[in-house]
Amino acid sequence: MENNLTSDFLGNRYSWPNTKIELDDVQALYGGIHVYLPGETAFQAYVTRVAPGGSKTKYKLPLGRQEKDALCQLFIEQDFLSIEPEERPGIPDEARPAITLGNYTGKTHTVSKWQGIKNERFDAIYRALKQIGERSKDF
């Protein structure tokens, strides 16, 4: 495993089940999705779908340990802690998704970016978390 800020932050692979991961992609006007993977060994994802207007539907989805380990590996490969998206004023009604990573000691790191900004490393993690959230459509 390569050594970078994120691998140092997450620690050894045996501590990865205690990693907390969160995607907050809810825009006030259009709604969106919130995905939360708690730092526990239950290996579940909690998904909240927010409709335009604010009504919420909540789901609890199974998540295998291998899948959570793969997500942690993705955070390391993209060196999440070193991502610094371009900052600019937001465009009216533009979404600003935020991803939060928490380690086994309880420390967290959040990165957010305006939807119109390109950042391949952020977008790779965003897509992976969004795919987990999209599974809720099957329930």
Side-chain angles (χ1 to χ4, degrees), residues 16 24 35-36 49 52 64 69 77-78 97 102 105 108 110 114-115 121 134:
W16 291 1
D24 185 5
V35 178
Y36 178 64
R49 299 187 75 77
D69 283 354
E77 288 168 3
Q78 302 303 325
T105 68
T108 62
T110 301
W114 293 108
Q115 195 70 40
R121 295 188 302 145
E134 292 299 317

Side-chain angles (χ1 to χ4, degrees), residues 49-95:
R49 299 187 75 77
V50 181
S55 67
K56 297 178 181 178
T57 307
K58 297 184 179 197
Y59 305 87
K60 183 167 73 170
L61 310 173
L63 185 79
R65 179 183 179 136
Q66 291 174 335
E67 188 171 13
K68 189 163 187 185
D69 283 354
L71 282 170
C72 289
Q73 186 63 44
L74 179 62
F75 274 88
I76 290 169
E77 288 168 3
Q78 302 303 325
D79 197 6
F80 178 73
L81 267 68
S82 71
I83 296 174
E84 294 180 7
E86 173 189 339
E87 285 297 328
R88 62 157 169 80
I91 298 168
D93 302 327
E94 183 179 19

